[in-house]
């Protein structure tokens, strides 16, 4: 099962973490998996992306945090934190992770350069996509838009403008993209 999904901050990549101990990096524009990152000894519970979209941090039930370079797919640091994290995000820079157990120093990771954006995802600021509270519907501006069959309901979810990525219990990672202009025409009478 996919336990965590996030977009890179530039929306060029989707990162997923799974119960099979792997992290996968996908190109948003094509849906192609460019890296399957291995190294954890237990389920990956969280993934986070640095603000410059160059680094991925992964947390696992093996009580470690690993830091990966998106451009190369290399693990550039392993930190034994001694607990399983429930929340994790990069601080504004690359030197620290903010977690539910405090700050984790991740050291010097300057050798990893920012990933270049292969997509130009202009975010529609006036469109709001989400998933209904019962996980059965994709919702747009409060309107039920797309019903999700049971096997496609998200276990993990991330939204970036007009893009939604869902990680499913089956292990599938689904990327949906919407055109607010076309939707505006369809919902004009509602």
């Amino acid at each position: 099962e996919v336990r965590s999904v996030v977009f890179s901050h530039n929306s060029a990549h989707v990162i997923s973490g799974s119960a099979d101990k792997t992290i996968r990096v996908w190109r948003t524009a094509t849906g192609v998996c460019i890296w399957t990152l291995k190294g954890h000894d237990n389920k990956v519970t969280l993934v986070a992306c640095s603000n410059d979209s160059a680094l991925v941090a992964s947390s696992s039930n093996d009580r470690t945090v690993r830091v990966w370079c998106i451009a190369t797919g290399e693990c550039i640091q392993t930190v034994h934190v001694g607990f399983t994290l429930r929340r994790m995000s990069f601080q504004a820079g690359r030197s620290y992770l903010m977690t539910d157990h405090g700050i984790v120093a991740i050291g010097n990771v300057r050798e990893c350069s920012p990933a270049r954006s292969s997509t130009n995802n202009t975010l529609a600021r006036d469109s709001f996509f989400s998933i209904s509270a019962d996980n059965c519907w994709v919702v747009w501006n409060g309107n039920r838009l797309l019903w999700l069959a049971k096997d496609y309901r998200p276990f993990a979810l991330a939204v970036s403008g007009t893009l939604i990525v869902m990680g499913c219990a089956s292990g599938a990672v689904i990327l949906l993209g919407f055109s607010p202009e076309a939707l505006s025409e369809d919902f004009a009478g509602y």
Side-chain angles (χ1 to χ4, degrees):
E1 63 192 25
V2 177
R3 311 279 302 179
S4 181
V5 291
V6 296
F7 282 97
S8 60
H9 286 272
N10 63 8
S11 296
H13 298 95
V14 170
I15 300 97
S16 63
S18 302
D20 69 357
K21 308 175 194 173
T22 65
I23 300 94
R24 287 185 173 82
V25 179
W26 313 78
R27 287 198 199 284
T28 305
T30 63
V32 172
C33 179
I34 59 170
W35 302 115
T36 299
L37 310 175
K38 298 179 182 179
H40 283 292
D41 295 328
N42 208 317
K43 294 177 184 180
V44 175
T45 56
L46 289 173
V47 290
C49 191
S50 62
N51 293 338
D52 64 0
S53 300
L55 303 175
V56 171
S58 58
S59 174
S60 168
N61 282 343
D62 66 8
R63 299 179 175 199
T64 65
V65 171
R66 291 181 180 262
V67 180
W68 311 83
C69 181
I70 288 180
T72 65
E74 294 178 64
C75 180
I76 56 178
Q77 189 169 20
T78 301
V79 179
H80 297 276
V81 292
F83 41 80
T84 300
L85 299 176
R86 302 285 177 238
R87 288 186 307 276
M88 174 178 68
S89 62
F90 278 86
Q91 190 182 25
R94 294 176 167 192
S95 301
Y96 299 99
L97 288 170
M98 306 300 287
T99 76
D100 55 324
H101 287 273
I103 297 174
V104 175
I106 57 172
N108 187 355
V109 289
R110 296 181 198 273
E111 65 273 8
C112 183
S113 59
R116 293 187 182 178
S117 175
S118 61
T119 183
N120 185 9
N121 180 29
T122 56
L123 302 180
R125 301 286 181 209
D126 58 344
S127 296
F128 301 99
F129 289 93
S130 62
I131 300 294
S132 63
D134 62 3
N135 280 352
C136 292
W137 290 89
V138 172
V139 177
W140 176 66
N141 290 338
N143 297 301
R144 289 179 175 179
L145 179 64
L146 176 67
W147 181 77
L148 301 170
K150 186 177 180 181
D151 290 342
Y152 300 98
R153 293 180 184 158
F155 188 84
L157 172 76
V159 178
S160 177
T162 60
L163 299 173
I164 297 174
V165 65
M166 301 181 300
C168 302
S170 67
V173 174
I174 300 169
L175 180 64
L176 300 172
F178 296 94
S179 169
E181 295 80 20
L183 291 173
S184 295
E185 294 170 13
D186 290 344
F187 282 88
Y190 292 102

